[in-house]
Amino acid sequence: MGQLYDRAQLLAEVWTEPLTVVARRYGLSDVGLAKLCTRLNIPRPAQGYWAKRAAGKSVPVAPVLPAYTGAPSTLRRPTRPATIDSPTPVDPRLAAVIEFEAREENRICVVMPVQAWHPVVVAAQASLQRPRIDARGLPQTTAGTLDISVSPALLSRTLSVANALLQAVEMRGYSLTPGRQRMEVKVLGVALTVRFYEPTHRLDYVPTATELAEAAAGEAGYWPKWQFQPTGKLQVIVSDGFGGKVSDSSARSVEDQLNHLIVLMVTRAVEILQREERYAIEAAEREAVRQSLVQRQQAQALERERLAQLEDQALRWQRAVRLREYLAALEEHQGQDINPEQRSLLNWARGMADWLDPLTPSGASILDEDSALPS
């Protein structure tokens, strides 16, 4: 029968990571994965979900897996025939980074206490003295600094992780530059964002004793529908999740995955570069086709011009032949009675016939002159 799609697993994946990330595991494009979810009756996050989530705004939770009512054959995963072809080679720019980050001597270590703070981390720490409060009630750094949104209990550790990561980034030749909203990391010339984020549990709002007393006294105000409980777990997200992320888990902490995070950042940068390079090649191919068509059109125009000249010469030759035939008939009609004036007219007319005839050399004529009046 073959392997079947695990609908519950796919539901969890598409609500945990963007389609572009999940699609690679299934060997599909993001559009192909979206169509697969539709066929398998798996709901997906609405448009703008990941941007709102990255901004710390309230987003819907993953729904319950609905029952499947489609054809059983749709659940079957396609089996790819075995091939002897070698796997797609890894881009050399990425392969070098993977090899570098795998070496034990290049392992990024988070040292506590921190001996020297990176200026960008210092600026982020200063902005958290008067933070912006996000939709979950957690403090968040202000615009222009490093993107950090964690609870006060997780802040010290987050700053230490950020400090070790930024120092490692610069040691590898990448740079930190101010972006439109946040500090960005330029990897291979591509600007990426890095966000330090603490997930939360969304719970029903529980009013305080004061709020309950005010409600009993008829002075109740507005209560939010939800309250958010920090998980105490850290995530570092690359480019709003489009470049992947590393998260605390029971097996590994974020501190143990910083080298992998560097690989994720370079992977995202190489993907963007490859796309731009592919677009440049396609644009060059389109331009080559356009230039070929332009040259073809120019050749056609030249052919039309040559044909028009040829037709004009043939017409002039026909006019000259007709004129000579008329002059011969006229001279024969006059016979011996041609006077000097008529002889002069015949000579002039034969000269004009020669001027018309492209096959007969002739002298210049007044008709060759351009005598148009000036405007």
Side-chain angles (χ1 to χ4, degrees), residues 56-345:
K57 297 181 180 179
S58 177
V59 293
V61 297
V64 177
L65 180 66
Y68 178 68
T69 57
S73 59
T74 306
L75 290 171
R76 189 175 302 118
R77 295 186 68 163
T79 56
R80 298 181 180 178
T83 63
I84 58 174
D85 296 337
S86 59
T88 303
V90 179
D91 187 284
R93 294 166 291 193
L94 176 59
V97 172
I98 294 175
E99 190 272 336
F100 180 87
E101 299 299 336
R103 297 179 195 165
E104 182 60 30
E105 64 268 23
N106 298 326
R107 185 172 181 271
I108 302 172
C109 299
V110 180
V111 180
M112 300 285 288
V114 175
Q115 301 298 320
W117 287 98
H118 193 285
V120 172
V121 179
V122 173
Q125 188 173 18
S127 81
L128 288 170
Q129 301 300 317
R130 300 181 63 182
R132 181 174 71 85
I133 305 301
D134 66 16
R136 306 173 302 159
L138 297 186
Q140 185 173 14
T141 51
T142 54
T145 59
L146 199 62
D147 194 350
I148 299 176
S149 180
V150 298
S151 63
L154 196 59
L155 179 59
S156 177
R157 176 187 166 214
T158 301
L159 293 174
S160 299
V161 170
N163 194 71
L165 177 63
L166 296 191
Q167 289 178 346
V169 161
E170 291 188 329
M171 286 179 61
R172 285 155 172 77
Y174 309 133
S175 60
L176 299 170
T177 58
R180 290 188 300 175
Q181 293 293 330
R182 297 290 184 177
M183 290 296 297
E184 296 176 340
V185 181
K186 276 209 168 180
V187 178
L188 304 179
V190 178
L192 306 173
T193 59
V194 180
R195 187 178 193 200
F196 298 85
Y197 180 79
E198 180 180 4
T200 53
H201 296 302
R202 190 177 71 175
L203 308 172
D204 291 331
Y205 182 76
V206 178
T208 63
T210 301
E211 290 172 332
L212 291 173
E214 291 175 348
E219 302 175 355
Y222 168 76
W223 290 352
K225 185 177 181 180
W226 311 105
Q227 64 184 25
F228 297 87
Q229 180 182 35
T231 61
K233 295 183 178 180
L234 179 61
Q235 292 181 347
V236 186
I237 305 170
V238 178
S239 294
D240 296 330
F242 292 101
K245 66 181 177 181
V246 296
S247 308
D248 283 334
S249 67
S250 57
R252 301 183 70 188
S253 66
V254 164
E255 287 87 338
D256 294 330
Q257 303 176 68
L258 294 183
N259 290 89
H260 177 61
L261 183 65
I262 296 288
V263 173
L264 290 179
M265 295 168 67
V266 177
T267 300
R268 179 60 178 168
V270 169
E271 287 176 350
I272 294 174
L273 289 174
Q274 287 176 333
R275 183 177 63 205
E276 293 176 349
E277 291 161 0
R278 185 171 65 252
Y279 288 166
I281 292 173
E282 292 172 354
E285 291 174 347
R286 288 194 298 271
E287 178 62 20
V289 171
R290 193 189 73 83
Q291 289 292 340
S292 177
L293 290 175
V294 168
Q295 294 174 1
R296 191 69 177 172
Q297 290 174 347
Q298 292 173 345
Q300 290 173 341
L302 180 60
E303 283 294 286
R304 292 190 185 97
E305 182 180 354
R306 294 179 62 187
L307 177 59
Q309 293 175 353
L310 184 62
E311 290 175 337
D312 179 67
Q313 291 173 354
L315 180 60
R316 289 170 66 102
W317 176 79
Q318 287 179 342
R319 291 171 64 190
V321 169
R322 189 166 60 249
L323 185 56
R324 290 189 182 108
E325 290 176 350
Y326 170 73
L327 294 176
L330 178 61
E331 188 174 19
E332 182 180 356
H333 176 73
Q334 294 293 339
Q336 301 298 323
D337 298 332
I338 299 178
N339 58 42
E341 184 179 353
Q342 291 172 330
R343 178 62 62 182
S344 175
L345 177 62

Side-chain angles (χ1 to χ4, degrees), residues 12-77:
E13 287 178 317
V14 298
W15 283 86
T16 303
E17 297 177 292
L19 286 185
T20 52
V21 178
V22 180
R24 290 198 293 264
R25 303 190 193 119
Y26 290 83
L28 299 171
S29 65
D30 52 347
V31 176
L33 182 60
K35 292 180 179 179
L36 176 64
C37 290
T38 301
R39 292 197 300 271
L40 297 181
N41 195 22
I42 296 176
R44 296 178 284 109
Q47 187 175 5
Y49 173 88
W50 295 107
K52 291 180 181 178
R53 179 169 167 176
K57 297 181 180 179
S58 177
V59 293
V61 297
V64 177
L65 180 66
Y68 178 68
T69 57
S73 59
T74 306
L75 290 171
R76 189 175 302 118
R77 295 186 68 163

